Structures are given as C-alpha cells and as structure tokens.
Amino acid sequence: MANADQSGYQATLRKLNWGNVNDVNDQLKVISRYSNAKNGEGKYVDYVAQRPIQLDKNNYAYLDNFSVGNNQINIAGWQCPFRRG
C-alpha cells in the first residue's frame, strides 16, 4: 500500500487539568484524519471512532502473565494510574 510507512497515530495530552474533568460525564472523541497535505487540510478523510472514551480518575491495571518455571517467577502487566488535578 502506498505510504503505509506513514500510517498510524499517537497523541499525548499534556497539562490536562483534572479539576475540569467530571468523573462520570466527560468524554474524549478520537478523530483520525488522513490528508494529502502536511497541515491536515486539503483533501482529507476523517475516521471518527464509534465509541468515545469515558474520562475518569480510576487506576487501571492488567496482569498479562504470571508463571512459575525454572525455579523463578515471571510476572508481566501494565498499570495506568491517572493523576488527580
């Protein structure tokens, strides 16, 4: 596919003020734009995610792997604690 090496996206929201985020009401809508211009304008196609992301102040984690073998314990996972304003 042409320009496949330029596909994908990543975003970082810096200095999010949690004082302005309600635990149950605020949502984040993800819109991904493909454009033939570097500034995102010109001819473009937008993909709007079907479900918005609900913002809250919870601490999320998941244990991906827990195993015992060769006289050792292996643990892998992730955690995403959200800081409060």
Side-chain angles (χ1 to χ4, degrees), residues 7-40:
S7 64
Y9 60 90
Q10 177 183 355
T12 301
L13 301 175
R14 300 188 191 283
K15 298 182 181 179
L16 180 63
N17 184 348
W18 279 110
N20 294 329
V21 175
N22 295 318
D23 283 22
V24 295
N25 295 323
D26 287 349
Q27 296 180 337
L28 181 67
K29 182 180 273 190
V30 177
I31 302 173
S32 175
R33 172 172 283 183
Y34 171 80
S35 173
N36 66 348
K38 288 185 179 182
N39 66 359

Side-chain angles (χ1 to χ4, degrees), residues 35-80:
S35 173
N36 66 348
K38 288 185 179 182
N39 66 359
E41 299 303 326
K43 290 186 178 182
Y44 62 86
V45 176
D46 286 348
Y47 169 77
V48 180
Q50 295 297 313
R51 296 175 55 191
I53 299 168
Q54 190 76 33
L55 295 179
D56 60 35
K57 299 176 185 175
N58 292 326
N59 184 5
Y60 297 95
Y62 190 79
L63 180 63
D64 293 315
N65 177 51
F66 182 91
S67 61
V68 178
N70 296 327
N71 205 25
Q72 63 184 16
I73 296 175
N74 298 300
I75 302 171
W78 57 267
Q79 181 180 18
C80 183

